[in-house]
Amino acid sequence: MTDHIPNNEQKHVVIGAGPAGRATATHLKNLDHEVVLISRSGSGPTLHGVERLAVNATDAQALVRAVDGADAMYNCINPTSYARWATEWPPIHAALMHTAQVTGAVLVTLSNLYMYGPQRDASPMTPESLEDPQDDKGRIRARMDRETLRAHQDGTLRAVVVRASDFVGPGIGENGHGTRNVPAIAHGRRAYILGSADQPHSWTDIDDVAATLATVATSPETHGLVWFAPTNPPVTQRELANQIAAVLEVPEPSISKLPLGLMKVMGIVSPLIREISSIAYQFKGPWVIDSAATTQALGVYPTDWTSVVRRSARGNVE
């Protein structure tokens, strides 16, 4: 740590410059930390006070150089396509683990819920819920989280995992099932959804994800565990679409389901569509999480839902 850095300032390196990475970098900078945001190109929207670096996350030596001296490193990266997870995740995961071990920085992983299977009853998911991945994406994520936490228990590195449901908030756009229809709703067009319009679904605000990542990074008592990012009570896809329309002061949209049968046929020739079809179960039935343990332990609360919807609507209109 250099002399000009205040005593309360730490160095944090965020790996991955998508919506989650940018939100996390911004949150950390607002806490007066030194923040480095890493991506393959090093380009993207300017974030005040955040240094950007171009680093290939599979290059362990380059990653070590970038993270050296940091208190925490954040895995907010995602491969370029669902269809490439099986080939792109392993070298990234290996480089992240190696870097955390060599530098001593806490490896804070932003994970998802793909390792959980369809909900069989009305009980919401918790971090302790039985893992039952339905496809390779879930198995890959489960294995990565498991290996990371096992390395923490072994004393090889320091690590903590945060899982979140589908993102909402500004700047998510087509990357989120809850926000990709915002432009269509704004212009009075039909909204197309995956699965059922009327099943309860948990949506996690991107800024609440960032706040949780930053909190666990500097809370040693949370390390070695899985935490759910604070998330509001569930809302159906129809309710969310109608709430977005209300914010934008446009009529409630007509809603149509994406034809899963056709998607399966198209998946024969399109790996991306095949991968999207494989997570349709998350929208065909209830998909609800209970994040109360995180709020109770960390004092991090979900953002007021009215504010979440307003920011999601106004921050994703093209």
Side-chain angles (χ1 to χ4, degrees):
M1 188 173 292
T2 57
D3 293 337
H4 72 278
I5 298 175
N7 290 333
N8 65 335
E9 183 174 333
Q10 300 177 344
K11 179 181 177 181
H12 294 251
V13 178
V14 181
I15 303 158
R22 295 195 302 270
T24 301
T26 299
H27 183 84
L28 290 164
K29 189 59 189 178
N30 289 340
L31 295 175
D32 293 325
H33 294 306
E34 176 188 359
V35 183
V36 179
L37 180 60
I38 286 176
S39 64
R40 183 185 291 269
S41 69
S43 61
T46 299
L47 303 178
H48 179 70
V50 174
E51 179 185 359
R52 281 184 175 269
L53 284 180
V55 177
N56 186 331
T58 64
D59 186 339
Q61 292 184 337
L63 206 55
V64 167
R65 289 193 295 270
V67 175
D68 187 39
D71 297 89
M73 54 184 286
Y74 300 78
N75 174 12
C76 293
I77 197 170
N78 255 325
T80 54
S81 168
Y82 274 150
R84 298 191 182 100
W85 275 33
T87 56
E88 293 190 2
W89 258 129
I92 293 172
H93 176 57
L96 292 170
M97 295 267 285
H98 173 77
T99 300
Q101 180 178 358
V102 170
T103 65
V106 180
L107 174 55
V108 185
T109 296
L110 173 58
S111 189
N112 56 31
L113 306 178
Y114 288 9
M115 66 287 301
Y116 300 109
Q119 289 184 262
R120 306 300 182 186
D121 53 38
S123 301
M125 287 178 283
T126 68
E128 296 74 32
S129 293
L130 178 67
E131 294 184 2
D132 182 24
Q134 303 293 295
D135 67 356
D136 283 344
K137 295 189 297 302
R139 286 185 281 273
I140 290 168
R141 269 299 194 179
R143 183 171 61 250
M144 288 168 49
D145 289 355
R146 188 166 54 249
E147 291 176 354
T148 300
L149 295 178
R150 185 182 301 126
H152 175 92
Q153 299 301 331
D154 292 344
T156 303
L157 49 78
R158 295 183 298 155
V160 59
V161 173
V162 173
R163 292 174 180 166
S165 194
D166 294 275
F167 295 154
V168 286
I172 306 299
E174 293 186 355
N175 292 313
H177 292 282
T179 55
R180 61 183 172 79
N181 277 309
V182 171
I185 294 171
H187 293 93
R189 300 195 299 269
R190 184 176 297 274
Y192 287 91
I193 63 166
L194 189 63
S196 169
D198 300 305
Q199 289 289 340
H201 197 91
S202 289
W203 310 92
T204 306
D205 183 77
I206 195 69
D207 286 348
D208 295 337
V209 171
T212 308
L213 294 174
T215 300
V216 298
T218 55
S219 304
E221 69 277 9
T222 70
H223 297 171
L225 300 171
V226 175
W227 300 88
F228 278 177
T231 299
N232 281 284
V235 170
T236 70
Q237 294 191 85
R238 187 186 308 278
E239 289 170 335
L240 178 56
N242 290 343
Q243 291 167 0
I244 288 171
V247 169
L248 298 177
E249 299 181 334
V250 297
E252 292 184 354
S254 298
I255 296 176
S256 293
K257 294 189 295 183
L258 291 169
L260 294 180
L262 177 60
M263 290 180 67
K264 289 181 179 179
V265 172
M266 294 174 64
I268 296 174
V269 295
S270 171
L272 177 58
I273 292 178
R274 182 167 62 247
E275 295 297 338
I276 292 175
S277 298
S278 72
I279 61 168
Y281 70 92
Q282 298 176 13
F283 295 89
K284 292 169 65 176
W287 193 249
V288 179
I289 69 172
D290 180 356
S291 59
T294 302
T295 294
Q296 182 177 0
L298 306 182
V300 182
Y301 291 80
T303 300
D304 174 74
W305 182 247
T306 300
S307 174
V308 173
V309 175
R310 182 172 61 249
R311 291 164 49 251
S312 297
R314 296 174 179 170
N316 291 286
V317 177
E318 293 180 348

mmCIF file of all heavy atoms in Angstrom, residues 115-148:
data_model
loop_
_atom_site.group_PDB
_atom_site.id
_atom_site.type_symbol
_atom_site.label_atom_id
_atom_site.label_comp_id
_atom_site.label_asym_id
_atom_site.label_seq_id
_atom_site.Cartn_x
_atom_site.Cartn_y
_atom_site.Cartn_z
ATOM 1 N N MET A 115 -26.957 -24.137 -9.898
ATOM 2 C CA MET A 115 -26.694 -25.456 -9.293
ATOM 3 C C MET A 115 -27.910 -26.010 -8.557
ATOM 4 O O MET A 115 -27.907 -27.158 -8.119
ATOM 5 C CB MET A 115 -25.495 -25.395 -8.343
ATOM 6 C CG MET A 115 -25.679 -24.542 -7.109
ATOM 7 S SD MET A 115 -25.660 -22.764 -7.490
ATOM 8 C CE MET A 115 -24.043 -22.577 -8.225
ATOM 9 N N TYR A 116 -28.964 -25.207 -8.413
ATOM 10 C CA TYR A 116 -30.182 -25.684 -7.759
ATOM 11 C C TYR A 116 -31.172 -26.167 -8.806
ATOM 12 O O TYR A 116 -31.332 -25.548 -9.869
ATOM 13 C CB TYR A 116 -30.814 -24.566 -6.933
ATOM 14 C CG TYR A 116 -29.907 -24.034 -5.846
ATOM 15 C CD1 TYR A 116 -29.348 -22.771 -5.942
ATOM 16 C CD2 TYR A 116 -29.604 -24.798 -4.723
ATOM 17 C CE1 TYR A 116 -28.506 -22.273 -4.953
ATOM 18 C CE2 TYR A 116 -28.768 -24.306 -3.727
ATOM 19 C CZ TYR A 116 -28.218 -23.050 -3.850
ATOM 20 O OH TYR A 116 -27.390 -22.566 -2.867
ATOM 21 N N GLY A 117 -31.858 -27.243 -8.506
ATOM 22 C CA GLY A 117 -32.850 -27.773 -9.426
ATOM 23 C C GLY A 117 -34.201 -27.116 -9.220
ATOM 24 O O GLY A 117 -34.354 -26.197 -8.409
ATOM 25 N N PRO A 118 -35.209 -27.556 -9.968
ATOM 26 C CA PRO A 118 -36.562 -26.996 -9.834
ATOM 27 C C PRO A 118 -37.054 -27.086 -8.391
ATOM 28 O O PRO A 118 -36.785 -28.072 -7.690
ATOM 29 C CB PRO A 118 -37.397 -27.883 -10.760
ATOM 30 C CG PRO A 118 -36.422 -28.441 -11.734
ATOM 31 C CD PRO A 118 -35.141 -28.631 -10.974
ATOM 32 N N GLN A 119 -37.759 -26.054 -7.948
ATOM 33 C CA GLN A 119 -38.325 -26.071 -6.595
ATOM 34 C C GLN A 119 -39.496 -27.045 -6.542
ATOM 35 O O GLN A 119 -40.444 -26.941 -7.317
ATOM 36 C CB GLN A 119 -38.764 -24.666 -6.187
ATOM 37 C CG GLN A 119 -37.575 -23.741 -5.941
ATOM 38 C CD GLN A 119 -37.996 -22.371 -5.446
ATOM 39 O OE1 GLN A 119 -38.091 -21.436 -6.211
ATOM 40 N NE2 GLN A 119 -38.251 -22.274 -4.152
ATOM 41 N N ARG A 120 -39.437 -27.984 -5.609
ATOM 42 C CA ARG A 120 -40.435 -29.047 -5.527
ATOM 43 C C ARG A 120 -41.623 -28.656 -4.655
ATOM 44 O O ARG A 120 -42.666 -29.300 -4.721
ATOM 45 C CB ARG A 120 -39.784 -30.305 -4.951
ATOM 46 C CG ARG A 120 -38.537 -30.765 -5.701
ATOM 47 C CD ARG A 120 -38.814 -31.084 -7.161
ATOM 48 N NE ARG A 120 -37.606 -31.573 -7.838
ATOM 49 C CZ ARG A 120 -37.539 -31.813 -9.135
ATOM 50 N NH1 ARG A 120 -38.593 -31.619 -9.910
ATOM 51 N NH2 ARG A 120 -36.397 -32.244 -9.682
ATOM 52 N N ASP A 121 -41.456 -27.639 -3.817
ATOM 53 C CA ASP A 121 -42.555 -27.235 -2.937
ATOM 54 C C ASP A 121 -42.492 -25.728 -2.755
ATOM 55 O O ASP A 121 -41.777 -25.035 -3.475
ATOM 56 C CB ASP A 121 -42.479 -27.972 -1.592
ATOM 57 C CG ASP A 121 -41.112 -27.818 -0.928
ATOM 58 O OD1 ASP A 121 -40.523 -26.722 -1.011
ATOM 59 O OD2 ASP A 121 -40.637 -28.800 -0.333
ATOM 60 N N ALA A 122 -43.225 -25.216 -1.775
ATOM 61 C CA ALA A 122 -43.316 -23.773 -1.573
ATOM 62 C C ALA A 122 -42.134 -23.208 -0.795
ATOM 63 O O ALA A 122 -42.046 -21.991 -0.615
ATOM 64 C CB ALA A 122 -44.620 -23.445 -0.844
ATOM 65 N N SER A 123 -41.232 -24.064 -0.347
ATOM 66 C CA SER A 123 -40.105 -23.589 0.456
ATOM 67 C C SER A 123 -39.095 -22.854 -0.421
ATOM 68 O O SER A 123 -38.641 -23.399 -1.440
ATOM 69 C CB SER A 123 -39.414 -24.769 1.142
ATOM 70 O OG SER A 123 -40.303 -25.467 1.977
ATOM 71 N N PRO A 124 -38.707 -21.645 -0.053
ATOM 72 C CA PRO A 124 -37.717 -20.915 -0.847
ATOM 73 C C PRO A 124 -36.335 -21.529 -0.705
ATOM 74 O O PRO A 124 -36.034 -22.233 0.259
ATOM 75 C CB PRO A 124 -37.752 -19.505 -0.256
ATOM 76 C CG PRO A 124 -38.219 -19.698 1.154
ATOM 77 C CD PRO A 124 -39.182 -20.854 1.102
ATOM 78 N N MET A 125 -35.487 -21.273 -1.662
ATOM 79 C CA MET A 125 -34.109 -21.732 -1.609
ATOM 80 C C MET A 125 -33.317 -20.933 -0.582
ATOM 81 O O MET A 125 -33.523 -19.728 -0.409
ATOM 82 C CB MET A 125 -33.440 -21.560 -2.971
ATOM 83 C CG MET A 125 -33.892 -22.533 -4.025
ATOM 84 S SD MET A 125 -33.077 -22.202 -5.625
ATOM 85 C CE MET A 125 -34.025 -20.778 -6.190
ATOM 86 N N THR A 126 -32.389 -21.603 0.065
ATOM 87 C CA THR A 126 -31.395 -20.969 0.922
ATOM 88 C C THR A 126 -30.033 -21.483 0.465
ATOM 89 O O THR A 126 -29.947 -22.434 -0.324
ATOM 90 C CB THR A 126 -31.615 -21.323 2.406
ATOM 91 O OG1 THR A 126 -31.324 -22.719 2.591
ATOM 92 C CG2 THR A 126 -33.052 -21.028 2.847
ATOM 93 N N PRO A 127 -28.958 -20.885 0.945
ATOM 94 C CA PRO A 127 -27.638 -21.391 0.541
ATOM 95 C C PRO A 127 -27.431 -22.868 0.876
ATOM 96 O O PRO A 127 -26.603 -23.535 0.252
ATOM 97 C CB PRO A 127 -26.674 -20.500 1.342
ATOM 98 C CG PRO A 127 -27.420 -19.220 1.514
ATOM 99 C CD PRO A 127 -28.849 -19.635 1.720
ATOM 100 N N GLU A 128 -28.189 -23.374 1.852
ATOM 101 C CA GLU A 128 -28.033 -24.767 2.262
ATOM 102 C C GLU A 128 -28.932 -25.729 1.482
ATOM 103 O O GLU A 128 -28.886 -26.947 1.724
ATOM 104 C CB GLU A 128 -28.334 -24.912 3.759
ATOM 105 C CG GLU A 128 -27.370 -24.166 4.672
ATOM 106 C CD GLU A 128 -27.585 -22.662 4.685
ATOM 107 O OE1 GLU A 128 -28.754 -22.228 4.525
ATOM 108 O OE2 GLU A 128 -26.589 -21.914 4.833
ATOM 109 N N SER A 129 -29.736 -25.217 0.578
ATOM 110 C CA SER A 129 -30.649 -26.074 -0.175
ATOM 111 C C SER A 129 -29.873 -27.117 -0.987
ATOM 112 O O SER A 129 -28.726 -26.895 -1.391
ATOM 113 C CB SER A 129 -31.516 -25.246 -1.122
ATOM 114 O OG SER A 129 -32.412 -24.427 -0.405
ATOM 115 N N LEU A 130 -30.519 -28.246 -1.211
ATOM 116 C CA LEU A 130 -29.899 -29.331 -1.963
ATOM 117 C C LEU A 130 -29.557 -28.870 -3.372
ATOM 118 O O LEU A 130 -30.389 -28.304 -4.067
ATOM 119 C CB LEU A 130 -30.858 -30.528 -2.032
ATOM 120 C CG LEU A 130 -30.364 -31.735 -2.828
ATOM 121 C CD1 LEU A 130 -29.168 -32.382 -2.121
ATOM 122 C CD2 LEU A 130 -31.499 -32.744 -3.002
ATOM 123 N N GLU A 131 -28.338 -29.124 -3.769
ATOM 124 C CA GLU A 131 -27.925 -28.801 -5.127
ATOM 125 C C GLU A 131 -28.316 -29.938 -6.059
ATOM 126 O O GLU A 131 -28.086 -31.113 -5.763
ATOM 127 C CB GLU A 131 -26.420 -28.548 -5.184
ATOM 128 C CG GLU A 131 -26.007 -27.301 -4.403
ATOM 129 C CD GLU A 131 -24.525 -26.993 -4.530
ATOM 130 O OE1 GLU A 131 -23.828 -27.725 -5.266
ATOM 131 O OE2 GLU A 131 -24.074 -26.022 -3.909
ATOM 132 N N ASP A 132 -28.918 -29.579 -7.171
ATOM 133 C CA ASP A 132 -29.393 -30.565 -8.130
ATOM 134 C C ASP A 132 -29.301 -29.967 -9.528
ATOM 135 O O ASP A 132 -30.316 -29.717 -10.186
ATOM 136 C CB ASP A 132 -30.841 -30.956 -7.800
ATOM 137 C CG ASP A 132 -31.389 -32.024 -8.742
ATOM 138 O OD1 ASP A 132 -30.581 -32.775 -9.318
ATOM 139 O OD2 ASP A 132 -32.627 -32.084 -8.895
ATOM 140 N N PRO A 133 -28.078 -29.706 -10.016
ATOM 141 C CA PRO A 133 -27.927 -29.041 -11.315
ATOM 142 C C PRO A 133 -28.567 -29.833 -12.441
ATOM 143 O O PRO A 133 -28.450 -31.059 -12.501
ATOM 144 C CB PRO A 133 -26.409 -28.934 -11.493
ATOM 145 C CG PRO A 133 -25.834 -29.947 -10.563
ATOM 146 C CD PRO A 133 -26.782 -30.053 -9.418
ATOM 147 N N GLN A 134 -29.222 -29.111 -13.338
ATOM 148 C CA GLN A 134 -29.961 -29.733 -14.425
ATOM 149 C C GLN A 134 -29.198 -29.769 -15.742
ATOM 150 O O GLN A 134 -29.649 -30.382 -16.702
ATOM 151 C CB GLN A 134 -31.278 -28.976 -14.637
ATOM 152 C CG GLN A 134 -32.159 -28.900 -13.392
ATOM 153 C CD GLN A 134 -32.692 -30.259 -12.994
ATOM 154 O OE1 GLN A 134 -33.469 -30.858 -13.730
ATOM 155 N NE2 GLN A 134 -32.287 -30.758 -11.832
ATOM 156 N N ASP A 135 -28.056 -29.083 -15.795
ATOM 157 C CA ASP A 135 -27.280 -29.064 -17.042
ATOM 158 C C ASP A 135 -25.823 -28.781 -16.708
ATOM 159 O O ASP A 135 -25.434 -28.639 -15.546
ATOM 160 C CB ASP A 135 -27.839 -28.029 -18.021
ATOM 161 C CG ASP A 135 -27.672 -26.589 -17.535
ATOM 162 O OD1 ASP A 135 -27.195 -26.384 -16.393
ATOM 163 O OD2 ASP A 135 -28.006 -25.666 -18.282
ATOM 164 N N ASP A 136 -25.006 -28.707 -17.748
ATOM 165 C CA ASP A 136 -23.575 -28.497 -17.546
ATOM 166 C C ASP A 136 -23.281 -27.154 -16.891
ATOM 167 O O ASP A 136 -22.321 -27.040 -16.124
ATOM 168 C CB ASP A 136 -22.832 -28.589 -18.891
ATOM 169 C CG ASP A 136 -22.657 -30.029 -19.354
ATOM 170 O OD1 ASP A 136 -22.821 -30.935 -18.508
ATOM 171 O OD2 ASP A 136 -22.370 -30.233 -20.546
ATOM 172 N N LYS A 137 -24.072 -26.130 -17.186
ATOM 173 C CA LYS A 137 -23.818 -24.816 -16.595
ATOM 174 C C LYS A 137 -23.928 -24.884 -15.076
ATOM 175 O O LYS A 137 -23.100 -24.344 -14.346
ATOM 176 C CB LYS A 137 -24.803 -23.785 -17.161
ATOM 177 C CG LYS A 137 -24.635 -23.529 -18.653
ATOM 178 C CD LYS A 137 -25.459 -22.354 -19.129
ATOM 179 C CE LYS A 137 -26.949 -22.567 -18.958
ATOM 180 N NZ LYS A 137 -27.442 -23.760 -19.674
ATOM 181 N N GLY A 138 -24.954 -25.561 -14.595
ATOM 182 C CA GLY A 138 -25.114 -25.711 -13.157
ATOM 183 C C GLY A 138 -24.019 -26.553 -12.542
ATOM 184 O O GLY A 138 -23.516 -26.260 -11.451
ATOM 185 N N ARG A 139 -23.627 -27.612 -13.251
ATOM 186 C CA ARG A 139 -22.567 -28.478 -12.729
ATOM 187 C C ARG A 139 -21.228 -27.744 -12.686
ATOM 188 O O ARG A 139 -20.439 -27.898 -11.738
ATOM 189 C CB ARG A 139 -22.472 -29.746 -13.573
ATOM 190 C CG ARG A 139 -23.621 -30.733 -13.316
ATOM 191 C CD ARG A 139 -23.439 -32.019 -14.082
ATOM 192 N NE ARG A 139 -23.818 -31.876 -15.483
ATOM 193 C CZ ARG A 139 -25.061 -32.045 -15.940
ATOM 194 N NH1 ARG A 139 -26.043 -32.348 -15.115
ATOM 195 N NH2 ARG A 139 -25.332 -31.923 -17.236
ATOM 196 N N ILE A 140 -20.959 -26.939 -13.700
ATOM 197 C CA ILE A 140 -19.704 -26.178 -13.734
ATOM 198 C C ILE A 140 -19.649 -25.183 -12.589
ATOM 199 O O ILE A 140 -18.652 -25.095 -11.859
ATOM 200 C CB ILE A 140 -19.552 -25.456 -15.089
ATOM 201 C CG1 ILE A 140 -19.281 -26.469 -16.211
ATOM 202 C CG2 ILE A 140 -18.440 -24.412 -15.034
ATOM 203 C CD1 ILE A 140 -19.400 -25.892 -17.606
ATOM 204 N N ARG A 141 -20.725 -24.432 -12.409
ATOM 205 C CA ARG A 141 -20.759 -23.446 -11.334
ATOM 206 C C ARG A 141 -20.662 -24.102 -9.957
ATOM 207 O O ARG A 141 -19.954 -23.626 -9.062
ATOM 208 C CB ARG A 141 -22.041 -22.612 -11.434
ATOM 209 C CG ARG A 141 -21.925 -21.348 -12.254
ATOM 210 C CD ARG A 141 -20.902 -20.412 -11.660
ATOM 211 N NE ARG A 141 -20.999 -19.078 -12.222
ATOM 212 C CZ ARG A 141 -20.223 -18.050 -11.854
ATOM 213 N NH1 ARG A 141 -19.321 -18.215 -10.927
ATOM 214 N NH2 ARG A 141 -20.351 -16.877 -12.414
ATOM 215 N N ALA A 142 -21.371 -25.197 -9.773
ATOM 216 C CA ALA A 142 -21.334 -25.894 -8.485
ATOM 217 C C ALA A 142 -19.919 -26.386 -8.191
ATOM 218 O O ALA A 142 -19.421 -26.254 -7.057
ATOM 219 C CB ALA A 142 -22.315 -27.056 -8.497
ATOM 220 N N ARG A 143 -19.267 -26.952 -9.201
ATOM 221 C CA ARG A 143 -17.919 -27.481 -9.012
ATOM 222 C C ARG A 143 -16.934 -26.355 -8.681
ATOM 223 O O ARG A 143 -16.095 -26.497 -7.781
ATOM 224 C CB ARG A 143 -17.469 -28.232 -10.256
ATOM 225 C CG ARG A 143 -16.097 -28.870 -10.117
ATOM 226 C CD ARG A 143 -15.781 -29.778 -11.294
ATOM 227 N NE ARG A 143 -15.765 -29.068 -12.572
ATOM 228 C CZ ARG A 143 -16.683 -29.222 -13.518
ATOM 229 N NH1 ARG A 143 -17.708 -30.034 -13.330
ATOM 230 N NH2 ARG A 143 -16.598 -28.549 -14.653
ATOM 231 N N MET A 144 -17.029 -25.235 -9.382
ATOM 232 C CA MET A 144 -16.132 -24.117 -9.114
ATOM 233 C C MET A 144 -16.311 -23.597 -7.691
ATOM 234 O O MET A 144 -15.325 -23.374 -6.966
ATOM 235 C CB MET A 144 -16.392 -22.993 -10.125
ATOM 236 C CG MET A 144 -15.903 -23.294 -11.522
ATOM 237 S SD MET A 144 -16.532 -22.116 -12.751
ATOM 238 C CE MET A 144 -16.179 -20.556 -11.966
ATOM 239 N N ASP A 145 -17.548 -23.399 -7.282
ATOM 240 C CA ASP A 145 -17.798 -22.906 -5.925
ATOM 241 C C ASP A 145 -17.279 -23.899 -4.895
ATOM 242 O O ASP A 145 -16.658 -23.519 -3.885
ATOM 243 C CB ASP A 145 -19.301 -22.678 -5.712
ATOM 244 C CG ASP A 145 -19.838 -21.490 -6.483
ATOM 245 O OD1 ASP A 145 -19.038 -20.781 -7.120
ATOM 246 O OD2 ASP A 145 -21.071 -21.272 -6.448
ATOM 247 N N ARG A 146 -17.533 -25.168 -5.139
ATOM 248 C CA ARG A 146 -17.114 -26.207 -4.196
ATOM 249 C C ARG A 146 -15.590 -26.249 -4.073
ATOM 250 O O ARG A 146 -15.046 -26.336 -2.961
ATOM 251 C CB ARG A 146 -17.671 -27.554 -4.667
ATOM 252 C CG ARG A 146 -17.480 -28.694 -3.706
ATOM 253 C CD ARG A 146 -18.344 -29.891 -4.097
ATOM 254 N NE ARG A 146 -18.147 -30.309 -5.471
ATOM 255 C CZ ARG A 146 -19.063 -30.180 -6.444
ATOM 256 N NH1 ARG A 146 -20.245 -29.638 -6.185
ATOM 257 N NH2 ARG A 146 -18.800 -30.597 -7.667
ATOM 258 N N GLU A 147 -14.884 -26.181 -5.198
ATOM 259 C CA GLU A 147 -13.423 -26.226 -5.165
ATOM 260 C C GLU A 147 -12.848 -24.991 -4.478
ATOM 261 O O GLU A 147 -11.863 -25.089 -3.729
ATOM 262 C CB GLU A 147 -12.885 -26.344 -6.591
ATOM 263 C CG GLU A 147 -13.176 -27.691 -7.240
ATOM 264 C CD GLU A 147 -12.720 -27.757 -8.681
ATOM 265 O OE1 GLU A 147 -12.267 -26.712 -9.217
ATOM 266 O OE2 GLU A 147 -12.809 -28.839 -9.286
ATOM 267 N N THR A 148 -13.456 -23.841 -4.720
ATOM 268 C CA THR A 148 -12.979 -22.608 -4.101
ATOM 269 C C THR A 148 -13.127 -22.663 -2.591
ATOM 270 O O THR A 148 -12.200 -22.327 -1.839
ATOM 271 C CB THR A 148 -13.750 -21.401 -4.662
ATOM 272 O OG1 THR A 148 -13.556 -21.328 -6.079
ATOM 273 C CG2 THR A 148 -13.262 -20.103 -4.035
#
